[in-house]
Amino acid sequence: LIAINVTSRGREEQPLLQAVLVADSFNRRFFPISKDQPRALLPLANVSMIDYTLEFLTSTGVQETFVFCCWMSSKIKEHLQKSKWCRPTSPNVVHVITSDLYRSLGDVLRDVDAKALVRSDFLLVYGDVVSNIDVSQALQEHRQRRKMEKNISVMTMIFKESPPGHKTRCEDDDIIVAMDSKSKRILHYQRAQALKKLHFPMNIFHSGSDEFEIRFDLLDCHISICSPQVAELFTDNFDYQTKNDFVRGLLVNEEILGNQIHMHVTKDGYGACVSNLLMYDTVSSDTIRRWVYPITPEANFADQEGQSCTHSRHNVYREPGVSLGHGSQMEENVLIGRNTMIGANCTISNTVIGANCVIGDNVTLDRAYIWNRVHIANDVKVKQSVICDNVEVKHGVVLNEQCVLAYNVVVGPDITLQEGTVLSMHHPDEEDDEDEDEFLSDDDVGHSKDKTKQKVFNPAEVGSEGKGYRWKTSSLDDTEEDELAECIWGLALNPDPESDSESEVSEGSHDLGSHPASPELDDVKVFQNEVHGTLQRGLDENISCDNLVLEINSLKYAYNISLKEVMQILIRVVLEFPFHQQGAQISTAQYSSHLLPLLKKWAPVFKNYVKRPQDQLDCLASMEEVFLERETHWAALVKVLMSMYQLEILEEEGIMSWFRQSTTTDKSQQLRRNQGLLKFIQWIEEAEESSEGDE
Amino acid sequence: MTRRRFLSGSASVQAFRRLDQLTILARNQRFTETPVKMPGADKETDLSERIESFLSELKRCGSGAGSLRGSAETARETTALLRRITAQARWGNAGELMEIIRKEGRRMTAAQPSETTVGNMVRRVLKIIREEYARSRGSSEETDQQESLHKLLTSGGSSEDNFRQHFAHLKANVIEAINELLTELEGTTDNISMQALEHIHSNEVIMTIGRSRTVEAFLKDAARKRKFHVIVAECAPFCQGHEMATSLCKEDIETTVIPDAAIFAVMSRVNKVIIGTQTVLANGGLRAVNGTHTLALAAKHHSTPLIVCAPMFKLSPQFPNEEDTFHKFVSPHEVLPFTEGEILSKVNAHCPVFDYVPPELITLFISNIGGNAPSYIYRLMSELYHPEDHELYTGK
């Protein structure tokens, strides 16, 4: 009620700038750390991440912010109530909205729409955005566009220019954007995660302008200016989960719905989203190195009592009450929290240490992120690791790169943790139990704590006096486990299967190029495997061809594969069938003897798909492709062609036109000069002539 | 008009008191909202809102070297805000008022430690309160300035205890004095540029660095009567020198922009160096924009006179290197652009904003009250500020 009052009061003069801050990541990237503390409250340079986001919003002139939280919402609420944002003098009125039902950004925005919270254009950010970008210009442009063409442009995304190789660029977030240079309209938006080939639908280049840019030097700041329509669109399209879904959905349906997305590229300022620990490392060090000025540690922008620190040369920051032992050195880029005691002869560089920590003698810290109340004994070495609250590191422990010690863990003495070790007081199996629920609630954690008690700590993992369980390490061979450990540091690409696959296939269908639709796409592969499985089962269980066709058709819809691709894959699967059954080393004679009965058996299936002359050509082309990969079995090609011809799957004209096709590669020309093939062609030609002669 | 405001102001003191009791009652009964909106309460929140917005503005200003506003504007705004505090805050005697001003002053200086004008204005206002109080009491604080050793011995303790006496007209007097200060601030730039013709002669070559609003006005004033040539060092990495040159050109002043590296080479041709500064330190040194030290050394080498245009409000009781906040480092973006890519992870880039210029390199200060040698700064300092106010933090 208050919110509405404030809004109506502010609207009298000029539209009140509102913001929606999503204080939840809706993923488990930060597990096991985020099991005890929501991500938005994790300290970054000794200040909670959400405070950076709120400071950013306030400094851009946002007057009202809605903070949406789900996971551990009570903690976030408590934090905000204590912070300066909830003081009556705060220029930015913060409302906290909590619900356990939010599962994605989509849910949040649908709720925004349902509650009619936003009245005009609003900023949409996540609770882990660290930025000092001045969005006022972008906002002005956005409003201008909205005025010029009523309600066409629904969103302006803010990008920061940073070329590939920049450390603030996180590979997970690499994107390719195609834009109209003049109007700054986004034509195509794609995550570039490890894709070697990129496809752009041709139609985007046909529209409107004559100047396009395709850019790979952009960093998505995860800040966007949205019109109220965005929330409505999320409501209309209940399957939109993420912003990615939304952007892709809008771009694909642009012609139908007529909504456009624009972008604003900024060169100045800093903007990054702490999406994983690698980004955490980078953003922390950028903050210490003053890239986010004026949001620097000594500015004490969160206005917390006793947090004021001093800044001296080489970016050494000290809060009050820090004591440094004899011979200890703070080399550069160091931030030390209040009342922390550091022993003698320590070397500290590129490190953040929280409040009330005790650090022993002869400790070496490099790129370490040590939170509050941590005890580190003598002779400890830490490299690029995160050590959470209340951890105890005993004498002689060495932490190699990318270790994570989550809350309350005890390690040591005299143990070396391998690269990428993650230790937590939560047993990793807990998570498996909870995996059944899509999302965790506070209760679940409470339950599982009891379970943990029964399990024993492994001294080989945490040292003789240690407490904690090892989560996954990246050195393990198990691929599934590999994924998570790297995930927390964000090294491996972990494509989100739902959002990406759909969109890529939809591109495939847009593709006007002459290439067969991108073979490296995952779906196609999965589909191929499925077809193989189906045929195998068909053979084993002697299923009729009609049923096989039915199954393949349903697979086609499930994976959204075009008809052309279905045929290509079918041919490939069948031709490779003998190899799968008999091993790759079989001779040509064995191969053809296995294959020919199969062809005969499945002829109706082929006939179902190969109908038009174009289909025949496609079919032949994919046969050629398969055989080009297996040079040794070229002799079998003739037999396959022959039997296909006899089974009336292929016709003379098709084969002839395929044969006469001007080919590009040497190898396919070589294939065509194959003795057997030439004979077969000759035979067909003669047969054709004779049949003509008969008439 | 001001008179009338003062009257209403003193009348509302009692209203405040009553309100005070009311709010205490309300708090005891755990009312979260005040049921009736009182004009006094509105004033209170209005005041704290203003202070907060000023603080946040201070924090954010100055992403580059110079803030968006000149320091003259900051000084005026600070003084206006202090006047508002004096008028609207709740206080009974001079001691309480000084306490309030000191407290707010501490917050303001902490918000942007590099902006010393804020602290200076707070000290000026404190001094005004002291003087007005002394005048109301009948003694003259002004003569106390020249405290002899004997007096220091006999006076015993600080005079703070005596500020507890209540005077009905104190508020009006203080506000009037602050208004005078504001008028003085308004005129500083004009007062300085008035002296231009005494220092700049025809066909001289003047060198300056970066952009100082005071120097800009000074040169423009001289250009109305005389022809001379100005060489502007661009003052990398922020290059405000470019703006300065453009602005001078518009007044038909012959202007040349040079890179900072060429300062020494060009110095032999220069007759006079005229610069602005961010702060004048207690020892007569400067905290000025980056590159000024180089310029001063080059001037010294060639025995070129170095003139500093600095209004009095830039005079700070701070000594160089007293604390870590003396320097200000901003985002290294200007030094090494963020778009530079890979190299950023391998290097540490720093971007300091200020230089310290020792007093022996400076020939003359031109302030709004005339020209002074650096060695005279300490004397001006003791006239402007009360020695007890030098350190805002030590007050009770």
Side-chain angles (χ1 to χ4, degrees), chain B residues 35-81:
Chain B
V36 190
K37 283 227 166 176
M38 309 243 174
D42 240 6
K43 260 189 189 171
E44 279 286 287
T45 50
D46 177 55
L47 180 64
S48 55
E49 247 168 52
R50 264 169 204 278
I51 295 173
E52 287 300 325
S53 73
F54 181 68
L55 284 179
S56 53
E57 214 176 303
L58 269 181
K59 271 187 193 179
R60 268 169 224 130
C61 83
S63 49
S67 46
L68 297 169
R69 311 163 301 169
S71 49
E73 208 172 317
T74 312
R76 272 201 300 277
E77 271 178 38
T78 314
T79 316
L81 186 64

Side-chain angles (χ1 to χ4, degrees), chain A residues 143 197 237 262 285 288 426 484 524 557:
Chain A
R143 285 185 177 148
K197 242 186 197 172
N237 298 279
H262 288 80
S285 86
I288 300 280
H426 298 283
L484 195 120
V524 176
Y557 290 119

Side-chain angles (χ1 to χ4, degrees), chain B residues 44-321:
Chain B
E44 279 286 287
T45 50
D46 177 55
L47 180 64
S48 55
E49 247 168 52
R50 264 169 204 278
I51 295 173
E52 287 300 325
S53 73
F54 181 68
L55 284 179
S56 53
E57 214 176 303
L58 269 181
K59 271 187 193 179
R60 268 169 224 130
C61 83
S63 49
S67 46
L68 297 169
R69 311 163 301 169
S71 49
E73 208 172 317
T74 312
R76 272 201 300 277
E77 271 178 38
T78 314
T79 316
L81 186 64
L82 289 173
R83 183 178 63 187
R84 193 175 280 276
I85 291 173
T86 313
Q88 295 184 351
R90 237 176 278 156
W91 54 276
N93 54 44
E96 277 172 37
L97 176 62
M98 280 162 72
E99 204 42 61
I100 294 169
I101 300 267
R102 220 177 263 138
K103 190 181 120 233
E104 295 303 334
R106 270 199 293 271
R107 286 177 62 203
M108 287 183 217
T109 42
Q112 187 59 267
S114 70
E115 195 65 80
T116 43
T117 29
V118 177
N120 297 342
M121 285 350 279
V122 172
R123 291 186 186 98
R124 285 289 285 273
V125 170
L126 285 173
K127 165 102 172 166
I128 286 172
I129 299 168
R130 280 173 200 278
E131 281 173 2
E132 291 303 326
Y133 181 80
R135 228 176 32 183
S136 312
R137 227 168 34 137
S139 72
S140 73
E141 178 90 354
E142 280 150 283
T143 50
D144 281 1
Q145 272 302 311
Q146 289 99 349
E147 277 177 308
S148 66
L149 257 183
H150 175 73
K151 260 192 184 169
L152 275 175
L153 264 176
T154 50
S155 66
S158 77
S159 48
E160 184 93 11
D161 320 326
N162 308 333
F163 287 114
R164 298 285 158 225
Q165 230 172 310
H166 175 72
F167 293 106
H169 293 289
L170 184 65
K171 189 175 201 169
N173 292 343
V174 169
I175 288 176
E176 193 157 16
I178 296 178
N179 280 336
E180 272 166 30
L181 175 62
L182 271 173
T183 338
E184 181 199 323
L185 290 177
E186 298 277 352
T188 42
T189 317
D190 289 340
N191 287 336
I192 292 174
S193 49
M194 255 161 50
Q195 305 164 48
L197 290 177
E198 296 167 27
H199 297 278
I200 297 175
H201 307 292
S202 282
N203 299 321
E204 271 191 332
V205 179
I206 311 279
M207 186 186 271
T208 187
I209 186 165
R211 182 182 185 202
S212 153
R213 286 166 179 82
T214 322
V215 174
E216 201 178 311
F218 191 79
L219 294 174
K220 282 180 182 172
D221 199 82
R224 286 188 293 124
K225 292 238 174 88
R226 307 229 162 101
K227 271 257 173 261
F228 53 92
H229 183 181
V230 178
I231 296 173
V232 185
E234 65 176 1
C235 197
F238 304 103
C239 295
Q240 306 109 323
H242 298 178
E243 290 169 39
M244 177 78 159
T246 335
S247 152
L248 291 179
C249 276
K250 281 182 190 145
E251 299 288 315
D252 285 332
I253 300 173
E254 197 184 342
T255 311
T256 313
V257 181
I258 56 164
D260 297 343
I263 288 174
F264 189 82
V266 177
M267 190 55 84
S268 55
R269 292 181 49 212
V270 174
N271 298 101
K272 230 165 246 160
V273 178
I274 299 177
I275 55 168
T277 181
Q278 207 261 344
T279 308
V280 179
L281 299 162
N283 65 344
L286 303 181
R287 178 163 71 162
V289 75
N290 241 346
T292 314
H293 194 197
T294 329
L295 180 78
L297 284 171
K300 187 82 181 169
H301 183 89
H302 289 280
S303 298
T304 315
L306 180 89
I307 296 173
V308 181
C309 289
M312 291 304 280
F313 63 77
K314 291 201 175 176
L315 208 60
S316 161
Q318 194 186 14
F319 279 91
N321 285 326

Side-chain angles (χ1 to χ4, degrees), chain A residues 350-367:
Chain A
N350 305 313
T351 291
V352 176
I353 303 177
N356 302 314
C357 295
V358 178
I359 289 167
D361 300 339
N362 301 316
V363 174
T364 309
L365 304 173
D366 182 38
R367 292 177 83 185

Side-chain angles (χ1 to χ4, degrees), chain A residues 296-310:
Chain A
T296 49
E298 93 277 9
N300 190 18
F301 61 86
D303 213 9
Q304 272 156 353
E305 202 80 11
Q307 275 244 349
S308 59
C309 60
T310 57

Side-chain angles (χ1 to χ4, degrees), chain A residues 150-423:
Chain A
K150 196 101 184 100
N151 300 342
I152 294 250
S153 172
V154 292
M155 185 154 103
T156 302
M157 299 170 82
I158 305 220
F159 292 98
K160 168 103 191 78
E161 203 173 280
S162 67
H166 199 286
K167 70 188 166 93
T168 311
R169 272 178 79 124
C170 158
E171 276 181 67
D172 306 19
D173 275 342
D174 271 355
I175 42 160
I176 295 256
V177 177
M179 63 181 267
D180 185 327
S181 321
K182 277 181 196 150
S183 65
K184 299 275 183 293
R185 183 156 74 88
I186 298 184
L187 301 169
H188 186 75
Y189 174 92
Q190 186 175 2
R191 288 185 163 198
Q193 304 178 333
L195 290 179
K196 295 220 170 55
K197 242 186 197 172
L198 292 156
H199 293 273
F200 295 95
M202 284 298 284
N203 58 339
I204 63 170
F205 301 111
H206 291 315
S207 56
S209 166
D210 48 358
E211 255 181 69
F212 300 98
E213 280 173 44
I214 294 176
R215 301 188 69 161
F216 187 56
D217 64 339
L218 296 177
L219 174 77
D220 189 352
C221 300
H222 294 275
I223 302 164
S224 26
I225 302 166
C226 304
S227 58
Q229 257 174 301
V230 171
E232 287 163 26
L233 282 167
F234 266 97
T235 310
D236 294 345
N237 298 279
F238 54 85
D239 57 329
Y240 286 171
Q241 296 296 315
T242 61
K243 198 166 91 183
N244 220 18
D245 288 349
F246 174 75
V247 173
R248 305 299 298 267
L250 269 201
L251 292 177
V252 166
N253 296 327
E254 195 184 300
E255 281 161 27
I256 308 163
L257 298 170
N259 293 319
Q260 295 178 347
I261 299 177
H262 288 80
M263 63 195 279
H264 177 81
V265 179
T266 169
K267 273 187 186 157
D268 312 321
Y270 182 89
C273 186
V274 184
S275 51
N276 54 44
L277 278 184
L278 202 68
M279 283 301 280
Y280 177 84
D281 178 19
T282 318
V283 175
S284 295
S285 86
D286 283 344
T287 315
I288 300 280
R289 288 168 203 223
R290 310 182 72 77
W291 281 101
V292 205
Y293 186 89
I295 304 179
T296 49
E298 93 277 9
N300 190 18
F301 61 86
D303 213 9
Q304 272 156 353
E305 202 80 11
Q307 275 244 349
S308 59
C309 60
T310 57
H311 171 230
S312 29
R313 288 193 178 258
H314 305 293
N315 293 336
V316 174
Y317 304 84
R318 268 173 298 184
E319 284 178 17
V322 171
S323 76
L324 194 67
H326 177 77
S328 284
Q329 273 195 325
M330 297 188 285
E331 289 183 341
E332 53 178 14
N333 307 323
V334 177
L335 168 59
I336 299 179
R338 63 188 176 282
N339 303 328
T340 286
M341 291 193 283
I342 295 169
N345 300 318
C346 297
T347 314
I348 303 171
S349 55
N350 305 313
T351 291
V352 176
I353 303 177
N356 302 314
C357 295
V358 178
I359 289 167
D361 300 339
N362 301 316
V363 174
T364 309
L365 304 173
D366 182 38
R367 292 177 83 185
Y369 297 96
I370 297 169
W371 298 356
N372 302 325
R373 298 180 298 281
V374 172
H375 286 250
I376 293 181
N378 301 344
D379 305 307
V380 172
K381 278 193 175 58
V382 181
K383 293 175 201 159
Q384 200 195 10
S385 294
V386 174
I387 300 177
C388 303
D389 286 1
N390 300 322
V391 169
E392 202 176 337
V393 181
K394 291 190 184 281
H395 178 270
V397 173
V398 176
L399 297 186
N400 280 316
E401 276 91 351
Q402 306 190 345
C403 286
V404 176
L405 304 183
Y407 293 89
N408 306 322
V409 164
V410 181
V411 185
D414 300 307
I415 186 174
T416 303
L417 295 187
Q418 280 179 326
E419 224 171 275
T421 312
V422 178
L423 293 179

